[in-house]
Amino acid sequence: MPRSRANSRERAATTARKESILSTALECFAEHGVEATTISDIQARAHCSVGSIYHHFGSKEGVAEALFISGIERLNRGMLRRLGGCQSGQECVKSVVYFYSDWSARNQKLARYLHSRDVEFSPAARERLKSIHLAYITEIYRLFAPFVENGELRVLPLETYVPLISGAIQEYTRRWLSGQGSSPARVKELFADAAWNAVKA
Amino acid sequence: MPRSRANSRERAATTARKESILSTALECFAEHGVEATTISDIQARAHCSVGSIYHHFGSKEGVAEALFISGIERLNRGMLRRLGGCQSGQECVKSVVYFYSDWSARNQKLARYLHSRDVEFSPAARERLKSIHLAYITEIYRLFAPFVENGELRVLPLETYVPLISGAIQEYTRRWLSGQGSSPARVKELFADAAWNAVKA
DNA sequence: GCAATTACTAGAATTGTATTCTAGTAATTC
DNA sequence: GAATTACTAGAATACAATTCTAGTAATTGC
């Protein structure tokens, strides 16, 4: 049980160093791509040694995976916080679109990185992502359930809600982040309405 | 003007070898991922030399880019062929969803590869992809235009049609290809209806 | 307070793979 | 049929990921 929970035994300096490595890695990846970024690049810009990176992350791929996972967790956490305050199904659904679009604009480098890859990862990382996603959609569904029960939202297969609601804005955002089209801010109403139409009863 | 047009000067054996390299690369990438695949892996399974790969594609990244681009072109070509025969806006829109879902199921390895990356590429490849995409949505819009004009479809910003129509099924398919949820075939009606609702007048 | 243990860092040495280079062979052109 | 071009081969090189050895700083148990 190496990772993540109850890091009370982990020194503060360690957490700081790990975060500094991850944020430096994001800068490097954003500038040159993952493949073109070398461990030396990260090591030099994060002011740490090669050994330190390997001690904490095991490999370059390990850095990439940790960055991806922490990014997904941040996005999910933010989304759930935002949805917690919604009063109606419509508000809930539209908030998904608004939050996604705002978050991506505020965290462009990270959003771009999250869009780029999850297929190259180790089986372990993939399992981890799957379980994170399952926990996330379970929570999402728990928030939506009341509105399904009161007839405001359609009853649909569990795994279709996320694509139906956020698939379109995600695809638009992905293209915007890679240089096509204009800012999602200008079209998010359109996508929010479409999302609502897709799942309202 | 090295690439792509009027390859009449290119020997048949050459075309065959290039295609054999690309299809071998797809097998290898699908099995181990791009990073973990070595030039030797490809070279051995394609029964050619290292020099041959470098002569045709310049680098490992070059192989990955060529594979990606040819995949996108195949997908786009198939889509346009399919849409050519549609009589109504509704048929057109729903056909996009059906074709996307069917094509992905028929070409899983390639579909999976196409979902995985386009951010790591060279500026040249990115430009190429942009122009391919522009040509594609222009053609799509040409097919849709009559139905926009006769009032069957809404008037929307050009670059929103593709995400609104195929964003949701793409996201669902992406998740399916990486092991989550059940086959798109079982839910494609749902996504086709949602697509239609998003763009009908 | 101090020995023992653990967590972390450093950087040199190794290993493995992408890429380059030299030398060809087969096809085409003139 | 000579010259040129397209292609292939595989050895040599260069470079970057990873491993290894030797530390230093913090923490724990006494």
Side-chain angles (χ1 to χ4, degrees):
Chain A
M1 217 166 294
R3 187 91 23 109
S4 86
R5 178 169 8 89
N7 286 7
S8 40
R9 284 160 51 85
E10 194 175 88
R11 275 191 276 158
T14 299
T15 311
R17 172 129 291 181
K18 280 166 89 170
E19 270 166 19
S20 128
I21 291 171
L22 287 184
S23 66
T24 304
L26 178 58
E27 295 298 318
C28 294
F29 292 168
E31 274 172 40
H32 311 109
V34 178
E35 290 210 22
T37 296
T38 71
I39 292 289
S40 293
D41 293 341
I42 300 174
Q43 169 258 311
R45 276 174 72 167
H47 307 294
C48 72
S49 74
V50 173
S52 185
I53 294 178
Y54 278 87
H55 173 75
H56 290 302
F57 299 102
S59 68
K60 183 172 139 179
E61 201 57 24
V63 175
E65 292 174 353
L67 179 60
F68 194 96
I69 287 173
S70 90
I72 289 285
E73 286 181 325
R74 270 216 273 161
L75 172 59
N76 288 356
R77 219 165 24 241
M79 180 70 81
L80 290 172
R81 197 177 317 121
R82 167 76 166 259
L83 296 184
C86 294
Q87 302 300 318
S88 73
Q90 181 170 14
E91 192 189 351
C92 230
V93 168
K94 290 188 170 181
S95 292
V96 170
V97 175
Y98 297 146
F99 181 80
Y100 189 84
S101 141
D102 296 344
W103 190 90
S104 299
R106 262 186 292 117
N107 303 275
Q108 287 188 34
K109 281 180 190 163
L110 189 51
R112 201 174 140 85
Y113 180 68
L114 294 184
H115 273 291
S116 73
R117 46 185 22 245
D118 63 348
V119 179
E120 296 279 275
F121 290 167
S122 68
R126 291 244 278 290
E127 278 314 308
R128 185 90 203 287
L129 282 168
K130 246 190 211 176
S131 86
I132 287 171
H133 180 67
L134 182 61
Y136 175 67
I137 59 169
T138 303
E139 192 63 15
I140 288 282
Y141 191 69
R142 204 183 60 73
L143 288 166
F144 280 26
F147 311 118
V148 175
E149 275 156 30
N150 76 13
E152 202 183 343
L153 294 179
R154 292 169 72 185
V155 177
L156 291 169
L158 194 56
E159 71 274 18
T160 61
Y161 286 102
V162 171
L164 281 174
I165 293 170
S166 62
I169 188 70
Q170 266 179 258
E171 178 61 13
Y172 187 89
T173 305
R174 196 183 67 73
R175 293 195 174 282
W176 172 63
L177 288 168
S178 70
Q180 294 161 16
S182 59
S183 166
R186 306 182 56 192
V187 292
K188 65 184 180 181
E189 285 300 337
L190 179 59
F191 286 91
D193 289 337
W196 174 235
N197 279 321
V199 296
K200 76 178 177 197
Chain B
M1 219 167 293
R3 189 81 37 99
S4 87
R5 179 171 3 88
N7 288 6
S8 42
R9 285 159 50 84
E10 193 176 88
R11 277 191 274 157
T14 299
T15 312
R17 171 127 295 180
K18 281 166 88 170
E19 272 167 16
S20 128
I21 291 171
L22 287 183
S23 66
T24 303
L26 178 58
E27 295 297 319
C28 294
F29 292 169
E31 274 172 40
H32 311 109
V34 177
E35 290 210 21
T37 296
T38 70
I39 292 289
S40 293
D41 293 342
I42 300 174
Q43 168 258 312
R45 276 174 73 166
H47 306 295
C48 72
S49 73
V50 173
S52 185
I53 294 178
Y54 278 87
H55 173 74
H56 291 303
F57 299 102
S59 67
K60 182 172 137 178
E61 201 57 24
V63 175
E65 291 174 353
L67 179 60
F68 193 96
I69 287 172
S70 91
I72 289 285
E73 285 180 324
R74 272 216 273 160
L75 172 60
N76 288 356
R77 215 162 33 237
M79 181 70 81
L80 291 172
R81 196 177 317 121
R82 167 76 167 258
L83 296 184
C86 294
Q87 303 300 317
S88 72
Q90 182 171 16
E91 192 189 350
C92 230
V93 168
K94 290 188 170 181
S95 291
V96 170
V97 175
Y98 297 146
F99 180 80
Y100 188 84
S101 142
D102 296 344
W103 190 90
S104 299
R106 263 186 291 117
N107 303 277
Q108 288 188 33
K109 280 179 191 165
L110 189 51
R112 200 174 141 85
Y113 181 68
L114 294 184
H115 273 291
S116 74
R117 46 181 29 240
D118 62 349
V119 179
E120 296 280 277
F121 291 165
S122 67
R126 290 244 278 292
E127 277 315 308
R128 186 89 203 288
L129 282 168
K130 244 190 213 176
S131 87
I132 287 171
H133 181 67
L134 182 62
Y136 175 66
I137 59 168
T138 304
E139 192 62 17
I140 289 282
Y141 191 69
R142 204 184 58 73
L143 287 166
F144 279 26
F147 310 119
V148 176
E149 275 156 30
N150 76 12
E152 204 184 343
L153 294 179
R154 292 169 71 185
V155 177
L156 293 168
L158 193 56
E159 71 275 17
T160 62
Y161 285 102
V162 170
L164 281 174
I165 292 170
S166 62
I169 188 70
Q170 266 178 257
E171 178 61 13
Y172 186 88
T173 304
R174 196 181 67 73
R175 293 194 175 280
W176 173 64
L177 289 168
S178 70
Q180 293 160 17
S182 60
S183 165
R186 307 182 57 192
V187 292
K188 65 184 181 181
E189 285 300 336
L190 180 57
F191 285 92
D193 289 337
W196 174 234
N197 280 322
V199 296
K200 75 178 177 196

